[in-house]
Amino acid sequence: MIVINNVKFACSACIKGHRSSLCKHTERTLFPIRRKGRPISQCDTCREQRRKFRVHQKCNCHGNKMKQRDVCHKLQ
């Protein structure tokens, strides 16, 4: 695994073969290693509202594709 600016990278063959932590292929095209589990679909504000009120709601702040650090404009 190659670390550049605190982001872990590995080649596609090692990622598909579940051995990204052992990848040392610097001559191949490298891809960032994603986190384990399901990707986050809500922004931080909607996720906090979900925890506070214990109600599941879909985040439609910026469309369907939300990133972990996006800001929610729904409550402003």
Side-chain angles (χ1 to χ4, degrees):
M1 172 172 32
I2 299 159
V3 180
I4 303 171
N5 294 332
N6 294 327
V7 179
K8 298 175 184 176
F9 288 90
C11 68
S12 62
C14 289
I15 292 172
K16 287 180 182 178
H18 302 285
R19 45 182 200 275
S20 60
S21 60
L22 302 174
C23 180
K24 296 189 184 342
H25 302 114
T26 57
E27 69 281 353
R28 297 181 185 178
T29 304
L30 300 176
F31 298 97
I33 299 173
R34 291 181 272 162
R35 295 183 57 149
K36 293 181 182 178
R38 263 185 113 138
I40 295 172
S41 62
Q42 289 185 329
C43 65
D44 291 334
T45 307
C46 290
R47 194 173 325 117
E48 185 63 34
Q49 293 295 319
R50 180 179 180 180
R51 289 182 191 142
K52 187 188 294 184
F53 297 114
R54 295 184 179 148
V55 175
H56 178 73
Q57 60 181 342
K58 185 176 180 180
C59 178
N60 291 324
C61 299
H62 294 289
N64 293 334
K65 296 181 180 179
M66 294 300 303
K67 293 183 181 178
Q68 186 175 8
R69 301 286 181 218
D70 282 346
V71 177
C72 177
H73 297 290
K74 182 193 287 185
L75 300 172
Q76 293 179 354

